[in-house]
mmCIF file of all heavy atoms in Angstrom:
data_model
loop_
_atom_site.group_PDB
_atom_site.id
_atom_site.type_symbol
_atom_site.label_atom_id
_atom_site.label_comp_id
_atom_site.label_asym_id
_atom_site.label_seq_id
_atom_site.Cartn_x
_atom_site.Cartn_y
_atom_site.Cartn_z
ATOM 1 N N ILE A 90 -67.885 -86.562 77.585
ATOM 2 C CA ILE A 90 -67.027 -87.222 76.573
ATOM 3 C C ILE A 90 -66.111 -86.188 75.909
ATOM 4 O O ILE A 90 -64.916 -86.487 75.697
ATOM 5 C CB ILE A 90 -67.905 -87.921 75.504
ATOM 6 C CG1 ILE A 90 -68.698 -89.074 76.173
ATOM 7 C CG2 ILE A 90 -67.088 -88.413 74.337
ATOM 8 C CD1 ILE A 90 -69.764 -89.655 75.302
ATOM 9 N N MET A 91 -66.623 -85.039 75.608
ATOM 10 C CA MET A 91 -65.848 -84.027 74.878
ATOM 11 C C MET A 91 -64.744 -83.430 75.784
ATOM 12 O O MET A 91 -63.690 -83.072 75.325
ATOM 13 C CB MET A 91 -66.729 -82.942 74.338
ATOM 14 C CG MET A 91 -67.700 -83.390 73.270
ATOM 15 S SD MET A 91 -66.849 -84.213 71.877
ATOM 16 C CE MET A 91 -68.282 -84.996 71.069
ATOM 17 N N ILE A 92 -65.041 -83.352 77.096
ATOM 18 C CA ILE A 92 -63.987 -82.871 78.010
ATOM 19 C C ILE A 92 -62.829 -83.863 78.014
ATOM 20 O O ILE A 92 -61.662 -83.461 78.002
ATOM 21 C CB ILE A 92 -64.604 -82.705 79.450
ATOM 22 C CG1 ILE A 92 -65.497 -81.507 79.498
ATOM 23 C CG2 ILE A 92 -63.476 -82.579 80.474
ATOM 24 C CD1 ILE A 92 -66.306 -81.362 80.770
ATOM 25 N N ALA A 93 -63.129 -85.165 78.021
ATOM 26 C CA ALA A 93 -62.091 -86.177 78.002
ATOM 27 C C ALA A 93 -61.299 -86.086 76.741
ATOM 28 O O ALA A 93 -60.074 -86.177 76.719
ATOM 29 C CB ALA A 93 -62.701 -87.555 78.187
ATOM 30 N N ILE A 94 -61.975 -85.890 75.584
ATOM 31 C CA ILE A 94 -61.288 -85.797 74.295
ATOM 32 C C ILE A 94 -60.432 -84.527 74.258
ATOM 33 O O ILE A 94 -59.285 -84.552 73.764
ATOM 34 C CB ILE A 94 -62.340 -85.780 73.153
ATOM 35 C CG1 ILE A 94 -62.955 -87.176 72.990
ATOM 36 C CG2 ILE A 94 -61.650 -85.355 71.832
ATOM 37 C CD1 ILE A 94 -64.043 -87.273 71.974
ATOM 38 N N ALA A 95 -60.950 -83.394 74.763
ATOM 39 C CA ALA A 95 -60.200 -82.151 74.806
ATOM 40 C C ALA A 95 -58.964 -82.281 75.654
ATOM 41 O O ALA A 95 -57.899 -81.807 75.257
ATOM 42 C CB ALA A 95 -61.087 -81.030 75.308
ATOM 43 N N TYR A 96 -59.066 -82.968 76.780
ATOM 44 C CA TYR A 96 -57.897 -83.188 77.635
ATOM 45 C C TYR A 96 -56.846 -84.025 76.914
ATOM 46 O O TYR A 96 -55.641 -83.697 76.915
ATOM 47 C CB TYR A 96 -58.314 -83.886 78.948
ATOM 48 C CG TYR A 96 -57.117 -84.278 79.794
ATOM 49 C CD1 TYR A 96 -56.417 -83.288 80.547
ATOM 50 C CD2 TYR A 96 -56.707 -85.600 79.868
ATOM 51 C CE1 TYR A 96 -55.344 -83.651 81.302
ATOM 52 C CE2 TYR A 96 -55.634 -85.965 80.654
ATOM 53 C CZ TYR A 96 -54.912 -84.964 81.369
ATOM 54 O OH TYR A 96 -53.846 -85.321 82.127
ATOM 55 N N ALA A 97 -57.286 -85.121 76.285
ATOM 56 C CA ALA A 97 -56.353 -85.982 75.573
ATOM 57 C C ALA A 97 -55.679 -85.235 74.443
ATOM 58 O O ALA A 97 -54.475 -85.366 74.220
ATOM 59 C CB ALA A 97 -57.087 -87.224 75.015
ATOM 60 N N ASN A 98 -56.458 -84.416 73.753
ATOM 61 C CA ASN A 98 -55.894 -83.631 72.662
ATOM 62 C C ASN A 98 -54.874 -82.619 73.144
ATOM 63 O O ASN A 98 -53.814 -82.412 72.541
ATOM 64 C CB ASN A 98 -57.015 -82.939 71.842
ATOM 65 C CG ASN A 98 -56.450 -82.204 70.644
ATOM 66 O OD1 ASN A 98 -55.869 -82.841 69.755
ATOM 67 N ND2 ASN A 98 -56.663 -80.914 70.563
ATOM 68 N N ALA A 99 -55.203 -81.951 74.241
ATOM 69 C CA ALA A 99 -54.299 -80.941 74.806
ATOM 70 C C ALA A 99 -52.974 -81.587 75.205
ATOM 71 O O ALA A 99 -51.905 -81.038 75.014
ATOM 72 C CB ALA A 99 -54.955 -80.262 75.971
ATOM 73 N N GLN A 100 -53.056 -82.776 75.842
ATOM 74 C CA GLN A 100 -51.870 -83.488 76.251
ATOM 75 C C GLN A 100 -51.032 -83.879 75.063
ATOM 76 O O GLN A 100 -49.801 -83.757 75.077
ATOM 77 C CB GLN A 100 -52.284 -84.779 77.043
ATOM 78 C CG GLN A 100 -52.880 -84.483 78.418
ATOM 79 C CD GLN A 100 -51.823 -83.965 79.371
ATOM 80 O OE1 GLN A 100 -50.749 -84.511 79.536
ATOM 81 N NE2 GLN A 100 -52.116 -82.828 79.982
ATOM 82 N N LYS A 101 -51.684 -84.336 73.981
ATOM 83 C CA LYS A 101 -50.898 -84.768 72.813
ATOM 84 C C LYS A 101 -50.272 -83.542 72.135
ATOM 85 O O LYS A 101 -49.126 -83.577 71.650
ATOM 86 C CB LYS A 101 -51.794 -85.497 71.838
ATOM 87 C CG LYS A 101 -51.009 -86.149 70.697
ATOM 88 C CD LYS A 101 -51.849 -86.906 69.734
ATOM 89 C CE LYS A 101 -51.000 -87.438 68.591
ATOM 90 N NZ LYS A 101 -51.778 -88.021 67.498
ATOM 91 N N MET A 102 -51.013 -82.440 72.046
ATOM 92 C CA MET A 102 -50.482 -81.224 71.436
ATOM 93 C C MET A 102 -49.262 -80.742 72.239
ATOM 94 O O MET A 102 -48.277 -80.307 71.682
ATOM 95 C CB MET A 102 -51.561 -80.155 71.387
ATOM 96 C CG MET A 102 -52.627 -80.372 70.300
ATOM 97 S SD MET A 102 -51.989 -80.379 68.647
ATOM 98 C CE MET A 102 -51.275 -78.738 68.534
ATOM 99 N N HIS A 103 -49.381 -80.825 73.534
ATOM 100 C CA HIS A 103 -48.280 -80.355 74.400
ATOM 101 C C HIS A 103 -47.050 -81.218 74.201
ATOM 102 O O HIS A 103 -45.921 -80.731 74.169
ATOM 103 C CB HIS A 103 -48.716 -80.372 75.878
ATOM 104 C CG HIS A 103 -47.596 -80.005 76.846
ATOM 105 N ND1 HIS A 103 -47.047 -78.742 76.874
ATOM 106 C CD2 HIS A 103 -46.945 -80.757 77.787
ATOM 107 C CE1 HIS A 103 -46.078 -78.702 77.808
ATOM 108 N NE2 HIS A 103 -46.012 -79.940 78.353
ATOM 109 N N SER A 104 -47.291 -82.553 74.060
ATOM 110 C CA SER A 104 -46.189 -83.476 73.959
ATOM 111 C C SER A 104 -45.596 -83.560 72.549
ATOM 112 O O SER A 104 -44.385 -83.650 72.365
ATOM 113 C CB SER A 104 -46.639 -84.865 74.396
ATOM 114 O OG SER A 104 -45.612 -85.814 74.215
#
Side-chain angles (χ1 to χ4, degrees):
I90 294 170
M91 296 305 166
I92 287 171
I94 290 175
Y96 173 75
N98 185 59
Q100 289 291 307
K101 189 179 177 189
M102 286 298 299
H103 176 66
S104 176

